Amino acid sequence: MTQKVAAIGVGQTEFRKTSEAESYPSLLRQAAGRALDSSGLSIGDMDAIVLALAPEALMGINHAERWCVDAVGAVGKPLMRVQTGGTTGLSAVQAGYHHIASGMFDKVLVVGADRVAESGDAQQIFNKIWDPVFERALPLTTISMIAMSAVRYMHLHGMTERQMARVSVKNHANAMLNPFAHLQQRVTVDDVLNSRYLAWPIKLLDACPQSAGGCAVVLSSERSLDASTHVPAWISGIALTGDTYFIGDRVGPKATHDYGDAGALEDAARKAYLMAGIEDPKKEIDVVETYASFSPVELHNVEALRLCDNGEAGRLFEDGYFDLRGETPVNPSGGVLCSNPISVTAMVRFAEATLQIQGRAGARQVPEVGVAVATGAGGSHQFFNVAVLTAEPRQS
Amino acid sequence: MDGSVVVLGGAELAQPVIDNSLEHAIFLTARAALRNAGLEISDIDDVVIACSDQIDGRAISSMITSGPAGAHLRDEINLASSPSHAVAMAALRVLSGQVKRVLVSSWGKHSEGELELAEHLTTDPFFDRDIGLSEIAAMGMQVSLFRSRFPEAASASREVVLKNRHNASKASLRSPDPDSDRVLFEDEFEKSPIVAFPLKRIEIAQPIDGVCSIVIAAGEDTIGAGESEPIWLRGVGWASDGYRLGERSLLDLPHLRFAVSEALRRARLRFDEERIAFVEVDDYCADAELLTCQVLGLSDNGGLQKDIPVNASGGYLGIGRPAFSGGLHRFHRAVEALAKSSHENQADVAVVQSSIGFAGQMQTVFVLSRT
Amino acid sequence: MSQSLDSISQHWDIMYQHRLDDVASEFFRVLRDDAKLIATRCPKCSRVLIPPRSFCDRDYVETERFVELGHEGTLELFTVVYLATRGLPDPPYAIGYVRPDGADTAVVNFIRGVELDSESPPSLQVGQRMKILFKEERVGRVTDFFFEPIHG
């Protein structure tokens, strides 16, 4: 029978430019140490460790899980490493979840770090994710990939660049309240609209930074919790759905999901909501940390998560519905737009959602959070995962 | 383990060069595994893979390979540390009770890339990379230590190579001729150059291309009229040693001891029980088989032990070492061998050990049984 | 020159030879020799797939060969890139996915014949008709063809 799993502590390092950050093992150790401290446990209490590490080409050591066993406290212990592109951080949490849900382990440390831009420019590496036979000869990058999705969303739902900018304004303002956020600068809609184009319609201030930093989460089984544990955040639902790799298959009348929408995210959310017993996301979800490396992505994400209907998101963002003090705060941390340490970016979403449940989110705390949702995205905007965290354990 | 996990069937391709695209080879193998398990892709809940981006030549290899691995609109995870971890994760998912059938795949086309270079890039750039620390150099260091402690290992390792080649011939139904094979072998052995003292090339398993897929499922739910008899995964244990060779106990392998004891504990078995029919271990080089048997308690002086068949499949030395995916191939072959073994035999358990990383840095042990 | 004591440079230089399956090989041969695009069809969902694949990932079955595609298509996705990245062409350039007539999926390539000026939005629209043009000198790689808007 499924063991219930809760996140009982999280740790993050202050995300910053790679050239100003500490070494990779050091970031791992710091993040792990902070997570252990926040859970009131030590490394000796951990039964197993899961490492989140996305493309190693970013930080420059192949299969770095072998190199950093010591840094994550895993010498002599069970250690696995997860790599699912941008979804890695949350897939690693899911792997940790299954360690415990299986009944085989009680305490698992999930940890990761990144030094994006160690290679100078991550986009050089992102050109190598594409199919070498048919697509690598084209200069595809994650920026152009999302730009095309934004163009499609505009075509389907009439999004404006002003609405994209409004998302960016919200996130930058929220990041000012988050001591871990990489980008800490207030921006206005005009600032965003006047910033230079990277790939139309995405401009510099619509885009995430290339960050370095670490993140860790301590997961516990229900049976091994003790009374002194500070507000466990129960993982009531967690799921991933991967769409077809081929972006070209996600257009036209025979597409299962249109590339302008985030159909696979909607599918993953449906699975996670079902596990968690969420029937009316608009009403039941108190706060969302969603993976959007570029501002237009937040629009189709909130629709896929069924926080509003398709095509409504732009107007709602403009109305402040998703602001920190709005109806359903989205990315109170400042989101990926303000910190993107790729291997752990999706874990940071989970960690922030945990902090919201635990009441430990400081100035960015949303009041009375009973249900928090965290999402990840990766691949050719292809993989999407969703976790539903609740303040009370739920029957599965 | 509380709860039952079965292996319903599997398939593999293992050749010096797989003459097909990576994607098509994965599709054919995964689909063959489904057929052997008596299933359609629609019967599969989750997909678990293990692949290495720098062997595949794609920065996120799981993107393009997700379709061939059967993951379209499914939950997919890549345990890029080891194919054995992928098997363990599939088992964890089934044990959680949330998932019934998992398609597990792993691969590595050595012929498409530069494997030694990719392995070299796993080393610490500050202290090790300039020193030419390759996987083979690490093997050489471990083996020179082993043979200095156990001099008998030098001659025993020669026997391991011959035995495993012999077993590979038998497994592929070629009729080996022990006498003439021996003569040819001695000659080849003498001529084989030392590549990393004291290891001769012939004592090191040569990399080949490989793709392997298996289906892991919940025991109570063994549907389908598969060709293969379901085999039970009774126990699993895994652990990692530190990175620095100079700080590791390369002969004692405490992490392997822990992995074995955890696997046996979960399977509720002791190693000396008469139920153990055979053992399959990681022969990345001949001495590795000897060393592992030592740690498992099958021998005590670095020599060959004869009580339980070791690597009756031929191991890597007999067939070649599929790049990255070797551990899954070994697991699959052990499952097949157990399924084919005689029901009259009391011994119905197999122990399977695989490692990855220099000098067996990460170890996984599985306990399989026919009932 | 003395070594920096703050950092170490590393260069990853791994050569790969990616084996094509027979469908891809044939696609490139026809592209090079005949200046045509061919696709495969899934016998179950009937989708005509480009890039042509040996199997359909939805239905998990082998595809049927081959369907010849038209030399015009519908623009489904596009962007204009203004950001320079080491190893990629100098910006600005336009790329997009066009669904050739006869196909159910779209394929990516460069879009030529468009004004590229970062002051105004690109004069391209999702849904517009495009020509598929082939280079004079072809080598059997996707860059042997490209897209242009159909004017008028």
Side-chain angles (χ1 to χ4, degrees):
Chain A
M1 203 54 272
T2 313
Q3 282 293 319
K4 291 199 174 58
V5 186
I8 59 172
V10 308
Q12 301 178 64
T13 64
E14 288 73 14
F15 301 109
R16 51 174 59 116
K17 213 156 76 159
T18 297
S19 54
E20 290 166 13
E22 304 199 24
S23 72
Y24 178 76
S26 189
L27 292 170
L28 288 169
R29 211 188 317 260
Q30 270 184 59
R34 290 178 180 184
L36 288 167
D37 287 346
S38 84
S39 63
L41 295 171
S42 73
I43 193 67
D45 298 312
M46 298 297 113
D47 301 318
I49 293 145
V50 178
L51 179 74
L53 173 59
E56 299 103 321
L58 290 170
M59 44 71 79
I61 289 120
N62 195 15
H63 287 291
E65 67 274 8
R66 302 177 194 171
W67 180 53
C68 70
V69 176
D70 303 75
V72 298
V75 179
K77 290 193 194 234
L79 170 69
M80 289 187 184
R81 171 249 176 140
V82 173
Q83 158 35 344
T84 54
T87 47
T88 296
L90 193 51
S91 289
V93 172
Q94 186 189 27
Y97 168 87
H98 282 118
H99 275 60
I100 297 173
S102 66
M104 206 181 279
F105 300 94
D106 284 302
K107 293 281 196 285
V108 177
L109 172 68
V110 182
V111 59
D114 219 325
R115 289 174 55 85
V116 182
E118 185 89 311
S119 62
D121 179 0
Q123 292 299 333
Q124 290 175 92
I125 307 228
F126 291 136
N127 178 245
K128 306 298 179 216
I129 63 180
W130 306 100
D131 170 20
V133 179
F134 293 108
E135 297 194 322
R136 193 87 60 86
L138 280 311
L140 288 164
T141 59
T142 56
I143 303 178
S144 49
M145 160 184 104
I146 298 296
M148 287 192 275
S149 173
V151 163
R152 187 85 181 169
Y153 183 90
M154 280 173 161
H155 168 74
L156 292 172
H157 306 297
M159 170 180 73
T160 64
E161 288 182 67
R162 185 161 279 274
Q163 287 168 340
M164 285 166 48
R166 181 62 175 81
V167 169
S168 181
V169 165
K170 166 183 74 71
N171 286 352
H172 281 88
N174 291 351
M176 301 294 293
L177 304 172
N178 178 1
F180 301 106
H182 178 173
L183 297 182
Q184 304 248 358
Q185 48 164 151
R186 216 168 276 286
V187 303
T188 64
V189 166
D190 284 334
D191 289 337
V192 181
L193 293 176
N194 292 330
S195 62
R196 67 187 163 93
Y197 279 108
L198 303 179
W200 197 85
I202 293 180
K203 297 162 287 300
L204 184 63
L205 290 177
D206 289 312
C208 57
Q210 297 185 6
S211 313
C215 183
V217 173
V218 175
L219 301 178
S220 172
S221 64
E222 180 180 30
R223 69 187 175 203
S224 69
L225 279 182
D226 64 46
S228 68
T229 309
H230 181 95
V231 186
W234 296 95
I235 303 179
S236 295
I238 187 161
L240 181 145
T241 295
D243 209 330
T244 180
Y245 158 78
F246 292 99
I247 289 176
D249 285 18
R250 298 182 239 159
V251 294
K254 294 206 179 144
T256 41
H257 301 123
D258 193 285
Y259 188 58
D261 297 320
L265 173 59
E266 184 170 355
D267 192 71
R270 186 182 47 76
K271 292 192 291 202
Y273 290 165
L274 189 64
M275 280 173 79
I278 302 275
E279 285 167 356
D280 191 346
K282 270 184 224 180
K283 289 213 183 83
E284 297 176 57
I285 295 171
D286 300 311
V287 65
V288 174
E289 282 281 336
T290 188
Y291 193 120
S293 2
F294 303 93
S295 58
V297 176
E298 262 190 45
L299 280 93
H300 71 188
N301 280 11
V302 298
E303 291 171 357
L305 293 173
R306 291 194 290 123
L307 301 174
C308 66
D309 295 330
N310 279 17
E312 272 195 352
R315 182 183 55 79
L316 288 170
F317 273 107
E318 284 179 315
D319 291 346
Y321 186 90
F322 299 114
D323 284 356
L324 186 56
R325 302 296 163 217
E327 280 295 312
T328 305
V330 170
N331 289 334
S333 66
V336 184
L337 224 53
C338 296
S339 311
N340 195 358
I342 291 163
S343 288
V344 292
T345 301
M347 196 190 305
V348 172
R349 307 279 68 71
F350 180 90
E352 286 288 330
T354 298
L355 290 171
Q356 292 287 344
I357 295 270
Q358 293 187 314
R360 283 172 162 169
R364 60 201 186 284
Q365 180 72 54
V366 173
E368 288 165 25
V369 172
V371 180
V373 167
T375 87
S380 58
H381 209 48
Q382 165 194 4
F383 303 129
F384 295 93
N385 39 19
V386 176
V388 178
L389 290 151
T390 58
E392 302 298 324
R394 294 190 173 197
Q395 284 301 101
S396 44
Chain B
M1 305 195 291
D2 298 328
S4 57
V5 180
V6 291
V7 189
L8 291 182
E12 67 168 320
L13 278 176
Q15 292 153 20
V17 179
I18 291 176
D19 196 23
N20 208 334
S21 72
L22 178 62
E23 287 77 29
H24 201 199
I26 295 168
F27 165 69
L28 291 173
T29 307
R31 203 182 48 171
L34 286 173
R35 290 209 173 124
N36 289 344
L39 297 173
E40 301 287 329
I41 190 65
S42 50
D43 298 318
I44 295 295
D45 298 312
D46 288 359
V47 168
V48 179
I49 66 172
C51 63
S52 173
D53 299 331
Q54 270 60 247
I55 291 178
D56 294 354
R58 299 94 185 274
I60 305 174
S61 187
S62 66
M63 284 166 62
I64 305 155
T65 55
S66 64
H72 184 242
L73 296 183
R74 286 192 172 80
D75 193 319
E76 181 193 53
I77 191 167
N78 175 17
L79 280 311
S81 41
S82 155
S84 304
H85 296 162
V87 177
M89 177 50 60
L92 292 175
R93 288 193 173 201
V94 166
L95 288 168
S96 77
Q98 294 166 345
V99 152
K100 289 214 155 54
R101 283 161 238 118
V102 182
L103 179 57
V104 182
S105 296
S106 182
W107 55 81
K109 280 193 85 191
H110 143 80
S111 63
E112 285 196 5
E114 297 182 85
L115 184 63
E116 272 296 299
L117 183 50
E119 285 292 330
H120 179 60
L121 292 172
T122 65
T123 57
D124 177 324
F126 307 108
F127 295 105
D128 298 339
R129 223 175 269 174
D130 288 342
I131 308 225
L133 179 59
S134 63
E135 186 179 19
I136 295 205
M139 285 184 205
M141 286 192 269
Q142 184 180 35
V143 172
S144 67
L145 190 62
F146 183 55
R147 292 186 188 180
S148 69
R149 179 92 59 85
F150 300 100
E152 185 155 330
S155 54
S157 91
R158 178 192 296 235
E159 298 305 313
V160 168
V161 181
L162 183 61
K163 164 181 76 71
N164 289 359
R165 285 184 171 194
H166 211 77
N167 288 345
S169 303
K170 279 195 287 186
S172 63
L173 305 178
R174 253 191 346 110
S175 306
D177 177 348
D179 292 328
S180 74
D181 278 1
R182 177 108 219 170
V183 171
L184 287 168
F185 176 74
E186 292 295 342
D187 187 55
E188 194 190 338
F189 195 91
E190 286 315 305
K191 293 195 170 112
S192 178
I194 294 184
V195 296
F197 183 86
L199 280 169
K200 286 170 167 275
R201 177 175 293 137
I202 198 174
E203 294 172 303
I204 299 175
Q206 293 305 303
I208 58 173
D209 287 359
V211 182
C212 186
S213 297
I214 63 170
V215 180
I216 296 267
E220 326 79 51
D221 187 61
T222 55
I223 64 162
E227 286 177 23
S228 321
E229 178 180 325
I231 294 295
W232 300 80
L233 176 57
R234 287 285 179 221
V236 58
W238 66 98
S240 194
D241 207 347
Y243 164 80
R244 295 192 193 294
L245 287 173
E247 288 170 17
R248 291 177 51 195
S249 299
L250 291 178
L251 303 188
D252 195 43
L253 302 175
H255 60 306
L256 171 56
R257 289 177 197 279
F258 177 71
V260 172
S261 75
E262 288 290 87
L264 292 171
R265 178 179 66 79
R266 290 175 179 138
R268 293 176 233 252
L269 272 178
R270 283 186 332 271
F271 203 87
D272 50 14
E273 283 192 26
E274 278 157 19
R275 289 179 66 190
I276 295 182
F278 64 85
V279 157
E280 291 283 321
V281 303
D282 197 326
D283 56 339
Y284 56 85
C285 65
D287 294 65
E289 177 178 315
L290 297 168
L291 177 55
T292 298
C293 287
Q294 188 120 311
V295 171
L296 293 177
L298 291 175
S299 64
D300 55 17
N301 62 351
L304 211 59
Q305 69 80 40
K306 306 245 178 3
D307 300 324
I308 299 181
V310 177
N311 285 341
S313 67
Y316 290 157
L317 287 166
I319 301 174
R321 183 187 185 200
F324 190 76
S325 58
L328 186 58
H329 293 258
R330 174 174 298 105
F331 183 90
H332 162 65
R333 289 174 198 158
V335 167
E336 300 238 291
L338 200 54
K340 290 192 177 112
S341 66
S342 167
H343 283 252
E344 285 149 20
N345 197 340
Q346 291 280 54
D348 61 343
V349 170
V351 176
V352 183
Q353 170 266 348
S354 286
S355 72
I356 204 160
F358 291 8
Q361 187 192 356
M362 299 191 163
Q363 298 277 351
T364 308
V365 177
F366 298 99
V367 178
L368 300 165
S369 76
R370 215 174 44 226
T371 53
Chain C
M1 194 179 84
S2 67
Q3 282 286 18
S4 157
L5 296 181
D6 295 330
S7 65
I8 287 186
S9 295
Q10 289 286 309
H11 181 79
W12 283 22
D13 184 3
I14 308 179
M15 267 309 290
Y16 295 95
Q17 290 295 333
H18 295 295
R19 176 80 170 74
L20 304 184
D21 61 31
D22 57 357
V23 164
S25 297
E26 182 62 5
F27 173 84
F28 288 120
R29 191 194 64 70
V30 168
L31 173 57
R32 182 194 63 191
D33 295 345
D34 305 335
K36 287 183 177 154
L37 297 182
I38 55 174
T40 49
R41 178 193 280 116
C42 172
K44 277 209 169 149
C45 66
S46 308
R47 285 186 307 155
V48 173
L49 303 168
I50 184 172
R53 282 150 262 170
S54 54
F55 69 96
C56 170
D57 63 356
R58 279 188 206 174
D59 298 297
Y60 219 54
V61 294
E62 304 257 2
T63 49
E64 295 163 347
R65 299 74 165 125
F66 281 105
V67 176
E68 192 182 315
L69 300 177
H71 287 189
E72 291 183 2
T74 309
L75 182 65
E76 301 281 1
L77 303 168
F78 67 88
T79 187
V80 179
V81 178
Y82 299 100
L83 178 69
T85 299
R86 191 165 83 86
L88 301 188
D90 291 334
Y93 52 85
I95 54 174
Y97 281 80
V98 168
R99 188 160 53 87
D101 293 339
D104 292 302
T105 65
V107 65
V108 70
N109 219 314
F110 286 103
I111 298 172
R112 305 203 191 285
V114 188
E115 279 280 322
L116 301 175
D117 145 34
S118 61
E119 298 307 307
S120 35
S123 57
L124 290 168
Q125 266 199 334
V126 170
Q128 80 175 79
R129 299 285 299 162
M130 306 290 282
K131 280 181 289 196
I132 301 171
L133 297 171
F134 298 85
K135 288 184 178 164
E136 281 289 322
E137 307 264 333
R138 296 181 300 277
V139 299
R141 285 295 172 265
V142 288
T143 38
D144 290 347
F145 69 97
F146 56 95
F147 307 128
E148 266 191 20
I150 293 175
H151 293 294

